[in-house]
Amino acid sequence: MKNKKTQMLVTIGLLVAVHVVLSRFLSINAWNMKIGFAFVAVFVGAYLYGPVAGALVGGLGDFMGAQLFPIGAYFPGFTLNCALTGVIFGILLFKRQSKLRIGIAVLLDQLVISMWLTPLWISILYGAAYLPLIISRLPQIGIMVAVQIAVILLLIGLIDRIRLKNMVEVPETVKDERREIRRERIAAREALSAADRERKSNAIVDTITGLKEYKEAKNILIYSPIKGEVDLARLEQKVKYTDKTLYYPLVVSATEMDALHPESDDAWREGFHNIKEPLREKSTLLKPEDCDLVICPCTAFDGQANRMGMGAGYYDRFLEKCNRAYIIAVAFECQKAPTVLPQEWDKPMDKVITEEREYIGKR
């Protein structure tokens, strides 16, 4: 945890420096117009760490730039603008990015901050007429909307590729240990008899359905079991008599998955890893931010409720976007390991439930 906080602070510091350079040396400045790329630093901070980090990068970057390399008189309203841009990007794009959200974030930034607030500060600072200032900024706003959307899309792709590369670049010794833990715990659960697996799966389901988080949930992501995983058939039966909706994973790329609710019995196919998956054209899509409860399979877990999956990272990336969901992993007690050697990208669980007990996480 300490290392993550240190890394975040160092990254924010670097982004503040980048903001200063971009805003002071790589921008086109006129009295009432500014075309530049300082928003890049603000967006990266907000995208990686949220609205507070985005506000810090924008606000500190503008303030320090004004002190170190002044361009005209300093006015705090412009610093507020930069901080608000970080807040907007963070609220809309932190863990919930999509093309629609990108478009909304850019339009809010340009139409509210650039078109209305910036002319207001200039009007106050120099006593100029407000409405003509707004009109004169329209060409800049049109240019910056297109530039920001294009650059943000490129940055998201780049950041996600870097994250994926970092996930792969684990020391070989750690990879080998995790591979062995996964192999041993899969073998342990597959060694259970069919009767044992059914009895223990049902006990796990009974624990889940007794949870407050389950009773309050409307949209629930579960899975179709493979290789001796906990069978949630009893849960599927119970849900039929409630107003809850069950969704299932669908692998959509080498790194991503969606959550879909099959609308009929024939809305299924055999997909990745021979997992039973819903057909997109016969299913309803669940937005991650609308998910209330996630029940994850796992190959192994430890006493701190750390989960180990199959190694592809589909759930970890999807769960990053489930900003309000309660997250549970289910497993048999025989899958418990002293440690699963959790990595930075492994999404922590709120709870791991076995047939014997509940392990509380530190999420």
Side-chain angles (χ1 to χ4, degrees), residues 199-233:
R199 176 179 59 80
K200 293 179 178 184
S201 293
N202 289 342
I204 291 168
V205 169
D206 289 341
T207 299
I208 292 171
T209 55
L211 296 175
K212 173 179 71 72
E213 290 80 10
Y214 169 80
K215 293 175 181 177
E216 295 175 352
K218 298 296 183 184
N219 299 318
I220 304 173
L221 174 62
I222 64 169
Y223 63 90
S224 299
I226 61 167
K227 295 185 177 181
E229 290 174 339
V230 173
D231 192 341
L232 300 177

Side-chain angles (χ1 to χ4, degrees), residues 27-320:
S27 296
I28 300 172
N29 293 281
W31 177 61
N32 185 35
M33 293 184 66
K34 182 176 182 178
I35 296 176
F37 294 90
F39 72 89
V40 168
V42 180
F43 163 73
V44 173
Y47 182 74
L48 292 177
Y49 302 117
V52 174
L56 284 173
V57 172
L60 287 175
D62 184 79
F63 178 78
M64 293 182 66
Q67 304 310 310
L68 295 172
F69 309 102
I71 303 174
Y74 172 72
F75 187 75
F78 301 123
T79 300
L80 175 63
N81 283 7
C82 293
L84 288 175
T85 294
V87 172
I88 290 171
F89 285 159
I91 289 174
L92 284 166
L93 302 178
F94 179 54
K95 296 184 179 181
R96 293 182 289 178
Q97 65 277 5
S98 68
K99 290 181 180 179
L100 176 61
R101 285 180 170 273
I102 292 169
I104 293 172
V106 169
L107 286 174
L108 282 175
D109 177 47
Q110 290 299 313
L111 297 180
V112 175
I113 296 176
S114 186
M115 189 167 80
W116 295 103
L117 284 182
T118 298
L120 176 62
W121 305 143
I122 294 173
S123 177
I124 292 172
L125 190 59
Y126 297 105
Y130 183 46
L131 185 57
L133 288 173
I134 293 175
I135 295 172
S136 68
R137 290 178 65 82
L138 292 178
Q140 172 195 320
I141 291 168
I143 293 170
M144 289 307 299
V145 165
V147 168
Q148 283 191 345
I149 290 176
V151 171
I152 287 173
L153 285 171
L154 288 172
L155 286 171
I156 287 176
L158 179 61
I159 292 170
D160 289 348
R161 282 196 295 273
I162 292 172
R163 282 175 169 171
L164 181 60
K165 183 180 178 182
N166 288 338
M167 289 177 67
V168 174
E169 291 181 352
V170 180
E172 285 302 322
T173 54
V174 176
K175 281 186 181 180
D176 290 342
E177 289 182 60
R178 283 169 62 89
R179 203 175 289 121
E180 185 63 16
I181 292 169
R182 186 178 289 114
R183 185 193 65 78
E184 288 179 353
R185 294 315 186 270
I186 290 177
R189 78 184 182 199
E190 289 183 331
L192 295 172
S193 67
D196 246 3
R197 190 176 297 115
E198 181 180 5
R199 176 179 59 80
K200 293 179 178 184
S201 293
N202 289 342
I204 291 168
V205 169
D206 289 341
T207 299
I208 292 171
T209 55
L211 296 175
K212 173 179 71 72
E213 290 80 10
Y214 169 80
K215 293 175 181 177
E216 295 175 352
K218 298 296 183 184
N219 299 318
I220 304 173
L221 174 62
I222 64 169
Y223 63 90
S224 299
I226 61 167
K227 295 185 177 181
E229 290 174 339
V230 173
D231 192 341
L232 300 177
R234 185 184 183 95
L235 179 64
E236 292 172 315
Q237 291 300 316
K238 289 189 175 187
V239 165
K240 289 181 179 179
Y241 307 101
T242 70
D243 60 349
K244 305 178 188 299
T245 304
L246 294 181
Y247 294 81
Y248 297 81
L250 171 68
V251 172
V252 295
S253 74
T255 59
E256 303 293 331
M257 75 179 201
D258 282 340
L260 297 172
H261 170 66
E263 297 291 351
S264 60
D265 291 339
D266 64 345
W268 296 92
R269 70 176 186 185
E270 188 176 281
F272 188 69
H273 280 315
N274 297 319
I275 299 172
K276 187 180 177 184
E277 291 183 336
L279 290 168
R280 180 178 292 277
E281 61 271 19
K282 296 184 179 181
S283 302
T284 303
L285 177 70
L286 174 68
K287 295 179 180 178
E289 59 266 30
D290 293 333
C291 188
D292 302 310
L293 175 65
V294 180
I295 304 173
C296 309
C298 69
T299 58
F301 71 95
D302 61 28
Q304 289 70 52
N306 294 306
R307 167 190 176 269
M308 177 183 284
M310 293 295 290
Y314 290 105
Y315 272 93
D316 294 313
R317 282 183 285 272
F318 185 83
L319 294 176
E320 278 292 328

